[in-house]
């Protein structure tokens, strides 16, 4: 496993520890400071439970960075949000550029009304697993709809995207198989292969040449080979070379799995995702989630019927989890209604993406991205904690991403663009970012 693939869940802890280092021993910030912070975290993990918790509680109490995690949002989440300021306790309005609510569906009236209407008919949940009493006509209809949207024959719903990743790897791969995955694959995929102890190798980001090298090297040493990539890479906003991977698939016969969590609503003319963007039905397995564009929680896997049937009866995270509640199923289905009936939202999203890139370029910040995720690099000499606080004070809700979520030498602001953003809001973001990075 390469050094760039690290657990995103550690990022917040590392950031806290970095801030603790700066405030208690006043070290100059550099990449070695982050490494030291990881060492501190590793040391804490080895302590007895009570001592571990006590020492970490002391760390939390001594850093000013903590308030910028878990900022309390009051009310609905849209292009503007009201939060409880973590420093003053006052309510303040902020422009939201940290949400994956790409098409503004979280507050759409059609979705809200559909949930209200169907609750009267189905109630709130089912109280059972999918194989037993957890399948309703609404679940079946959504599975059928998602399968068609993804150019597949069948679909299985999971409690979350993470659960889906864990479930399909555990169901399909064995310890005499090999998984090849992009070095920037999501933590859920890393966890899936390591939890199930599946042999795996990483290939250089978006390098079909490296994939080919690995296939040639290992093709005769394992039973089946799975190649995993992302529809949209969550920290960089770029997309994979699907045509190149499909050419390799014809030659080597591997199973291609694409995690398209950030593709729905963003990629393709109609926002159907990676398979529409590349106009293909040759991707073997497509994993999706409700937690991005649909602004919910839940996941799904779309593939051929035989494969999906096998997953239903062999995936532990599917079998031993309760079915998604009716509220989620109805909201997801209504969200697909909006994507289908209001195609202007996808166009407006892409217009906003281009507008922001152009405005940043006018200020000397040269960035590019084909998706709604726009990474803005932060110069090495900048104090990450300081500029993050400065952006907050200017009423911009923006996520700072640093090591280990990304490599130590590439901290960035991760901008999430929405179709609902107004041009003046995007201009304001460009002005603020330019100001704090000067």
């Amino acid at each position: 496993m390469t050094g760039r693939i690290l657990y995103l869940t550690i990022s917040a802890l590392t950031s806290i520890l970095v801030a603790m280092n700066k405030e208690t021993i006043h070290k100059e910030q550099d990449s070695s400071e982050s490494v030291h912070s990881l060492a501190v975290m590793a040391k804490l993990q080895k302590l007895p439970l009570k001592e571990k918790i006590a020492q970490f509680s002391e760390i939390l109490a001594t850093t000013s960075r903590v308030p910028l995690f878990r900022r309390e949002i009051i009310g609905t989440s849209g292009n503007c949000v009201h939060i409880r300021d973590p420093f003053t306790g006052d309510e303040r309005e902020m422009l939201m550029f940290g949400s994956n609510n790409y098409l503004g569906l979280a507050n759409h009236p059609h979705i809200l009304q559909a949930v209200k209407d169907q609750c009267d008919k189905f109630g709130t949940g089912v109280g059972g697993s999918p194989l037993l009493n957890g399948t309703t006509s609404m679940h079946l209809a959504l599975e059928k709809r998602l399968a068609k949207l993804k150019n597949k024959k069948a679909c299985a719903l999971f409690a979350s995207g993470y659960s889906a990743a864990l479930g399909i790897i555990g169901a399909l791969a064995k310890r005499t198989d090999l998984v090849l995955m992009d070095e920037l694959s999501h933590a859920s995929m890393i966890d899936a292969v390591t939890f199930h102890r599946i042999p795996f190798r990483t290939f250089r980001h978006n390098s079909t040449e490296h994939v080919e090298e690995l296939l040639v090297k290992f093709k005769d040493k394992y039973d089946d080979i799975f190649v995993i990539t992302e529809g949209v890479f969550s920290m960089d906003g770029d997309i994979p070379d699907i045509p190149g991977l499909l050419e390799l698939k014809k030659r080597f016969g591997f199973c291609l799995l694409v995690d398209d969590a950030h593709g729905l609503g963003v990629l393709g003319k109609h926002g159907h995702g990676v398979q529409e963007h590349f106009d293909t039905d040759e991707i073997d397995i497509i994993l999706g989630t409700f937690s991005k564009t649909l602004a919910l929680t839940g996941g799904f896997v779309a593939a051929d019927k035989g494969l999906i049937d096998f997953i239903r009866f062999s995936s532990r995270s599917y079998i031993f989890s309760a079915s998604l509640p009716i509220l989620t199923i109805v909201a997801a289905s209504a969200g697909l209604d909006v994507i289908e009936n209001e195609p202007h939202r996808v166009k407006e999203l892409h217009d906003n993406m281009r507008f922001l890139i152009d405005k940043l370029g006018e200020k000397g910040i040269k960035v590019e991205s084909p998706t709604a995720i726009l990474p803005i690099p932060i110069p090495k000499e900048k104090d990450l904690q300081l500029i993050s606080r400065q952006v907050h004070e200017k009423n911009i809700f923006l996520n700072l991403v640093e090591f280990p979520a990304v490599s130590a030498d590439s901290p960035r602001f991760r901008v999430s663009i929405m179709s609902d953003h107004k041009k003046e809001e995007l201009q304001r973001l460009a002005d603020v970012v330019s100001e704090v990075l000067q």
Side-chain angles (χ1 to χ4, degrees):
M1 187 166 77
T2 67
R4 295 190 70 187
I5 300 185
L6 293 157
Y7 295 101
L8 180 58
T9 52
I10 303 174
S11 181
L13 298 177
T14 300
S15 302
I16 291 169
L17 291 164
V18 168
M20 179 272 291
N21 287 342
K22 295 179 73 173
E23 294 174 13
T24 59
I25 56 181
H26 307 291
K27 291 176 62 178
E28 180 182 355
Q29 180 181 341
D30 57 20
S31 61
S32 65
E33 190 173 51
S34 292
V35 174
H36 175 71
S37 298
L38 283 177
V40 171
M41 197 63 209
K43 184 177 179 181
L44 286 179
Q45 290 284 12
K46 297 177 181 179
L47 296 176
L49 179 60
K50 289 184 178 180
E51 186 176 353
K52 174 166 49 184
I53 301 304
Q55 288 198 23
F56 189 70
S57 297
E58 183 178 349
I59 290 171
L60 290 179
T62 58
T63 174
S64 62
R65 177 66 193 278
V66 176
L68 286 182
F69 292 112
R70 302 183 74 241
R71 281 176 278 187
E72 178 187 356
I73 296 175
I74 305 168
T76 58
S77 294
N79 54 316
C80 292
V81 296
H82 285 83
I83 74 160
R84 183 85 59 198
D85 190 277
F87 300 101
T88 67
D90 297 331
E91 183 177 334
R92 67 191 300 171
E93 184 178 70
M94 304 188 78
L95 294 178
M96 172 55 78
F97 289 99
S99 171
N100 299 320
N101 180 27
Y102 300 127
L103 298 184
L105 301 186
N107 309 302
H108 195 285
H110 171 72
I111 300 172
L112 299 179
Q113 190 59 52
V115 170
K116 294 173 184 177
D117 292 344
Q118 292 300 325
C119 273
D120 291 338
K121 181 177 180 181
F122 285 96
T124 59
V126 289
S129 65
L131 288 180
L132 300 178
N133 64 299
T135 298
T136 69
S137 57
M138 295 295 295
H139 288 79
L140 293 175
L142 180 58
E143 288 179 340
K144 183 177 181 179
R145 190 171 185 181
L146 286 168
K148 182 178 180 181
L149 183 143
K150 289 297 182 181
N151 290 342
K152 292 296 163 191
K153 299 297 184 181
C155 171
L157 301 176
F158 282 78
S160 68
Y162 186 101
S163 175
L166 202 66
I168 58 177
I169 294 298
L172 301 180
K174 57 188 183 299
R175 295 178 189 178
T176 53
D177 295 336
L178 176 67
V179 170
L180 302 178
M181 66 175 70
D182 192 289
E183 63 180 348
L184 299 188
S185 293
H186 191 264
S188 60
M189 285 298 176
I190 304 298
D191 286 0
V193 294
T194 54
F195 179 80
H196 293 292
R197 301 180 184 178
I198 308 299
F200 76 101
R201 299 289 189 277
T202 60
F203 55 86
R204 291 187 296 274
H205 179 49
N206 262 348
S207 173
T208 52
E209 292 81 6
H210 194 200
V211 176
E212 183 176 11
E213 291 175 17
L214 293 171
L215 288 168
V216 170
K217 181 177 180 179
F218 294 113
K219 64 178 181 177
D220 297 323
K221 297 180 180 180
Y222 294 91
D223 291 344
D224 292 310
I225 295 180
F226 297 81
V227 174
I228 299 177
T229 189
E230 311 249 317
V232 176
F233 289 91
S234 60
M235 291 295 119
D236 292 72
D238 55 343
I239 59 179
D241 180 9
I242 293 297
L245 290 174
L246 291 177
E247 284 299 315
L248 290 176
K249 180 175 177 288
K250 292 176 183 177
R251 291 172 51 197
F252 292 94
F254 57 78
C255 179
L256 179 59
L257 190 164
V258 177
D259 178 358
D260 201 30
H262 292 272
L264 179 63
V266 176
L267 293 181
K269 180 180 179 181
H270 304 97
H272 290 182
V274 63
Q275 79 293 335
E276 183 186 36
H277 181 83
F278 290 105
D279 189 23
T280 182
D281 60 0
E282 297 180 26
I283 300 171
D284 296 296
I285 306 170
I286 300 178
L287 184 150
T289 179
F290 301 159
S291 61
K292 310 312 190 245
T293 291
L294 295 177
L296 301 163
T297 187
F300 66 91
V301 178
D304 289 341
K305 185 178 185 302
L307 192 147
I308 293 298
D309 286 342
F310 186 84
I311 287 175
R312 291 191 198 280
F313 287 89
S314 59
S315 168
R316 294 177 65 84
S317 64
Y318 180 85
I319 296 170
F320 297 106
S321 293
S323 282
L324 288 168
I326 291 295
L327 299 177
T328 298
I329 298 299
V330 172
S333 182
L336 296 180
D337 290 343
V338 176
I339 293 174
E340 178 181 338
N341 297 327
E342 300 182 15
H344 62 87
R345 289 180 176 268
V346 176
K347 181 180 183 303
E348 289 166 356
L349 173 64
H350 284 262
D351 288 345
N352 283 346
M353 290 155 45
R354 188 71 255 166
F355 180 86
L356 180 58
I357 290 171
D358 290 344
K359 291 305 175 182
L360 288 168
E362 292 173 4
K363 295 181 177 297
I365 302 174
K366 304 299 182 182
V367 291
E368 278 294 338
S369 173
T371 69
I373 299 170
L374 183 63
I376 301 178
I378 298 174
K380 183 178 179 180
E381 67 273 10
K382 290 295 182 180
D383 184 319
L384 300 181
Q385 318 312 319
L386 175 62
I387 62 173
S388 182
R389 175 71 181 268
Q390 289 173 335
V391 170
H392 172 84
E393 294 299 339
K394 294 181 182 296
N395 295 323
I396 300 290
F397 197 117
L398 187 58
N399 294 323
L400 172 68
V401 181
E402 53 191 305
F403 183 82
V406 294
S407 59
D409 61 352
S410 61
R412 73 214 38 195
F413 286 125
R414 180 186 180 276
V415 180
S416 296
I417 305 167
M418 298 169 57
S419 62
D420 287 357
H421 281 131
K422 300 178 176 63
K423 295 299 187 288
E424 57 267 27
E425 294 169 347
L426 297 166
Q427 181 66 64
R428 173 62 178 162
L429 173 64
D431 292 342
V432 169
V433 169
S434 174
E435 181 180 341
V436 300
L437 293 184
Q438 285 180 353

